[in-house]
Amino acid sequence: MKRFKLLNLVFVLGLVLGLLAACSGADETKTNSSSDNGATANGEPKNPEDFEGELTIWTFFGQVEQMAEKFEEKYPNVKVKVSVFPGDQYQTKLMNAINTKTDVPDIFDLERGYMGKFINQPFVANLSEMGADDLVKDYIPYVKELGVAEDGSVRAISDHSSPGAFWYHRDLAKEYLGTDDPAKVSEMVSSWDKVVELGKKVEKESNGEVHLVSHFSDVYNVEKSNPEMWDKDGKLNVDPAWEEIFNSMKSIREEGVDAKLGFFSGGWGDALNEGGVIMFANPAWASFMVDNEGGAAKGKYGLAQTPSGYYEGGTYRSIYEGSENKELAYEFIKFIASEEWQQYNLEETGNMPALAAVYEKNQGAFTSEIFGDQKILEAYYELVKSIPPHKATGDNQAISQLWYEAAAEAIDSGESYKDALKDFKASVKNGYPEIDTK
C-alpha cells in the first residue's frame, strides 16, 4: 500500500497543478497548406500515404505519444513530434507561445478544467470549416458539446468520454447488501434517498466499522454537471437543484453513511483497495488507483449505476489558427475521432470512447479484469447518454468548485444551506466581480 499511496500523491499533485498549466518551446515545421482540404489536384480524396510532412503537438498527457505512433503507422510519410510538459507548466507555456507567436504547435491539448478559457479565442481554429461536424455527429452528446464554441462551431475534439459509476467491493456487497448483482445493487442506490437509507442499515449492522460510501462529495461529483450554468447574462443563476444536492450531502453526513474519506485521499485509496467502504463514485479512468499487481484485484469489484449520469475530466485537441499545417493537423484530428482509433484505445487502455458506435459495438462483450465478467460498457453507456450537454464556458467549473467548498464547510460546521449560499455568493463576488450576485 505504500506504493499505492506514493502513486496517489503524485497523481493528485499532477491533477491539481495541471489546472494551473504551462508550456515551453517546441519547433514548428510548416509544410502542407490547408487550401486543398485533403484532396489531390484533380479533386480526388487523398490516401494516408499521400500526406507528407511533420506535425507538432503539445500536451500534458503522455499517452499522446502512443497516439502519434499509431498515426504514423497509418500515415507513413508523416512525422509527429510530441512535446509533453508537466501539468503545472503547460497552460502558461502554451499561452506564452501563442501570445508571442513563437514556436506555436500545430495541435495543442486542452484539459476539461480550463478549456473554457481557450475554446472561444480567435487563435483556436474553426474545425467545422474543415468538416468536423461530420466527425462528431455520432459522438456522445456531452463530449461533442464541450468542444463547441459559443458561435456553434466545433473548436476542440476529444477521443474519449469519462463517465463515472459506483464501483463496489463484491464481498462487502454480499455481506451487507445481500447481493453483488450489478442490476440489483444499481436499483438499491438509484436515488440519494435510497443511498441514505441503505447506508444507515450498513452503519448499524457493521457497528460503524463499514460505510456505504466514502464521502458526501460523491453526491457533488455525480450531480455537478446536471444543474443550469451559473452565469446567465451576467447574473448569478442558482439552480434550485443545488439545494437538493446540499441536502443529500448533509443527510449522508448526519446519518453516518460516509466514512469521511475525501476523494483521492490516502485513506480513500486504502479503502478502495482494502475495504471498509462498500462503494465509490469513480470515473472510468480511475482503475490505475487499484492495486492489481499479479491479478490481485481480479473480479474484486462490481459496477453499479449512480443516481445520475456524470463524468470527470477529459482531454481535448485543438488546431492553432495560425498554423500553416492545418490540412495535416486536421488529418490527425480525423484519426483520433475515428472508430478505428477509439476501438484500439478502448482495448489497449480501457479509455471509454467518445463515439456512440464504439459503445454499441462493445457493450455486450467488453470486460475489465478488476470487474470480472461484468459487461461494464452496458452500465457506462446508459449513464453517459444521460449526461446533459453543456458548453465549456469559461468559469462554470471553477464556480461550481466554490459552491462545493462553501457547502462542505457548512456541513462540517453544522450550518444550513442558507449559510452556505451566503458564503458562496461572497466567494463569487470576490473572484468574479463582473457577475451580479444579488
Side-chain angles (χ1 to χ4, degrees):
M1 292 317 306
K2 288 182 179 179
R3 171 177 169 270
F4 167 78
K5 288 179 179 177
L6 178 60
L7 287 172
N8 177 51
L9 179 61
V10 171
F11 173 79
V12 174
L13 182 60
L15 186 67
V16 172
L17 293 178
L19 298 179
L20 304 177
C23 234
S24 109
D27 289 337
E28 187 178 36
T29 301
K30 306 299 182 184
T31 54
N32 298 354
S33 164
S34 60
S35 60
D36 60 5
N37 197 28
T40 59
N42 60 10
E44 294 296 322
K46 284 186 177 181
N47 296 315
E49 58 270 21
D50 294 329
F51 288 88
E52 297 180 355
E54 180 175 294
L55 273 177
T56 56
I57 301 177
W58 281 13
T59 184
F60 47 84
F61 184 41
Q63 194 195 353
V64 175
E65 294 175 331
Q66 180 186 21
M67 189 184 298
E69 290 175 4
K70 296 299 292 184
F71 180 81
E72 288 176 339
E73 288 179 12
K74 185 168 185 176
Y75 290 75
N77 298 314
V78 176
K79 177 67 177 177
V80 182
K81 183 179 180 180
V82 178
S83 295
V84 183
F85 299 96
D88 63 333
Q89 300 176 17
Y90 182 73
Q91 250 193 100
T92 303
K93 287 185 178 292
L94 179 58
M95 284 309 303
N96 284 344
I98 290 170
N99 288 335
T100 62
K101 294 182 172 58
T102 304
D103 296 331
V104 187
D106 300 304
I107 297 172
F108 51 86
D109 279 1
L110 298 173
E111 202 275 333
R112 168 64 189 101
Y114 55 73
M115 65 182 288
K117 299 177 184 178
F118 288 78
I119 200 166
N120 294 298
Q121 299 299 322
F123 56 75
V124 179
N126 184 332
L127 303 182
S128 289
E129 293 178 348
M130 306 179 195
D133 288 1
D134 286 338
L135 298 184
V136 297
K137 66 182 180 182
D138 187 38
Y139 260 41
I140 297 300
Y142 98 82
V143 181
K144 172 187 175 180
E145 192 66 13
L146 284 174
V148 175
E150 293 296 336
D151 66 1
S153 64
V154 177
R155 300 297 181 101
I157 288 181
S158 181
D159 67 327
H160 61 273
S161 55
S162 307
F166 277 134
W167 298 14
Y168 61 88
H169 286 275
R170 287 187 176 272
D171 57 346
L172 292 176
K174 284 181 180 179
E175 183 175 357
Y176 293 103
L177 308 187
T179 181
D180 70 340
D181 178 77
K184 293 179 180 178
V185 175
S186 293
E187 177 56 32
M188 290 179 177
V189 294
S190 59
S191 73
W192 294 114
D193 287 343
K194 287 184 177 181
V195 168
V196 171
E197 290 307 310
L198 187 61
K200 288 163 61 177
K201 174 177 175 290
V202 170
E203 198 272 342
K204 181 178 180 180
E205 292 183 359
S206 69
N207 295 315
E209 294 183 2
V210 176
H211 295 84
L212 181 62
V213 298
S214 59
H215 198 272
F216 61 58
S217 60
D218 279 359
V219 181
Y220 168 76
N221 289 331
V222 169
E223 300 294 344
K224 65 185 177 183
S225 299
N226 293 312
E228 295 178 355
M229 298 290 97
W230 290 110
D231 186 352
K232 196 169 187 178
D233 299 324
K235 287 193 172 185
L236 185 65
N237 174 45
V238 183
D239 191 318
W242 286 109
E243 185 170 6
E244 297 176 21
I245 294 169
F246 178 89
N247 290 336
S248 294
M249 292 165 58
K250 190 175 179 66
S251 294
I252 282 175
R253 175 53 54 83
E254 290 179 344
E255 298 294 347
V257 174
D258 71 334
K260 301 180 181 179
L261 299 173
F263 187 49
F264 275 17
S265 66
W268 178 92
D270 291 342
L272 177 65
N273 282 278
E274 298 172 3
V277 173
I278 297 177
M279 61 178 53
F280 307 76
N282 281 347
W285 45 260
S287 58
F288 76 96
M289 305 293 286
V290 172
D291 184 4
N292 191 31
E293 188 173 353
K298 184 176 181 180
K300 186 175 182 176
Y301 304 93
L303 191 79
Q305 294 189 4
T306 42
S308 301
Y310 85 101
Y311 73 95
E312 192 70 49
T315 303
Y316 283 69
R317 279 169 199 101
S318 294
I319 295 175
Y320 176 51
E321 173 62 26
S323 171
E324 298 175 5
N325 214 9
K326 285 183 183 176
E327 179 193 356
L328 194 55
Y330 186 64
E331 286 298 307
F332 191 89
I333 297 297
K334 284 168 59 179
F335 176 74
I336 67 167
S338 71
E339 184 173 337
E340 174 189 355
W341 163 253
Q342 292 187 27
Q343 179 69 36
Y344 173 85
N345 196 26
L346 173 67
E347 294 172 357
E348 291 296 312
T349 69
N351 283 332
M352 295 296 109
L355 280 165
V358 180
Y359 269 105
E360 292 166 359
K361 178 180 178 181
N362 292 276
Q363 63 177 331
F366 184 82
T367 59
S368 173
E369 186 174 49
I370 65 174
F371 295 106
D373 294 331
Q374 184 180 356
K375 309 301 188 292
I376 60 173
L377 259 68
E378 293 178 346
Y380 279 135
Y381 191 37
E382 288 302 311
L383 289 167
V384 80
K385 287 189 298 182
S386 70
I387 298 171
H390 291 308
K391 287 183 171 59
T393 55
D395 301 318
N396 194 71
Q397 188 159 333
I399 294 175
S400 292
Q401 182 61 32
L402 292 179
W403 181 92
Y404 173 75
E405 291 169 1
E409 176 64 27
I411 292 170
D412 286 339
S413 302
E415 296 177 339
S416 68
Y417 178 67
K418 184 177 180 180
D419 296 322
L421 196 58
K422 180 180 178 181
D423 291 344
F424 164 64
K425 287 184 176 181
S427 295
V428 174
K429 184 176 182 179
N430 182 59
Y432 304 93
E434 70 279 10
I435 298 178
D436 183 1
T437 59
K438 295 179 182 179

